[in-house]
Amino acid sequence: RMPKAALVRLKPERLVLMIAAGIAAAALGGVLFRVIAPWASFLTLFLAYGLGYGIGEAVSWASGRFHGRPVAIWAAACAAAAILALQLPGLLVAISAGYVGSIWLLLAAVLASFAAWRRNA
């Protein structure tokens, strides 16, 4: 057994800072992704991975470099939200119309979530 002093826990003030940093990074990253992605063509997936890693890094920094499942889940959720939030109405219309190109946007969201998860897992 480890002594109580050796256990590393996410402090409540760091949790609040982590949540705020995740939301801010997702908002900024989502706007940048919305502006840059149409011009990036096939490089969009690399852009999504970089966005996910950046959001993961912001969440990691805000949590005091705490690595664990709660931080990884929050980072992955913020990364997916960054890509899908601003494009959700168009994505829903495209999926309902059977437009296959919308699969790339979903793949970009999964890739960004994976990068953010791996950064904090």
Side-chain angles (χ1 to χ4, degrees), residues 35-68:
V35 170
I36 297 172
W39 296 352
S41 68
F42 69 95
L43 297 175
T44 302
L45 296 179
F46 294 111
L47 180 66
Y49 189 86
L51 174 68
Y53 188 85
I55 291 173
E57 178 62 29
V59 169
S60 175
W61 170 81
S63 69
R65 301 293 179 197
F66 180 82
H67 291 278

Side-chain angles (χ1 to χ4, degrees), residues 58-118:
V59 169
S60 175
W61 170 81
S63 69
R65 301 293 179 197
F66 180 82
H67 291 278
R69 184 168 288 163
V71 179
I73 289 172
W74 180 247
C78 288
I83 291 181
L84 296 178
L86 293 176
Q87 307 196 20
L88 190 59
L91 181 64
L92 292 176
V93 169
I95 289 173
S96 65
Y99 179 63
V100 181
S102 60
I103 297 296
W104 291 106
L105 187 60
L106 292 175
L107 184 61
V110 168
L111 196 60
S113 293
F114 174 75
W117 175 276
R118 290 298 301 154

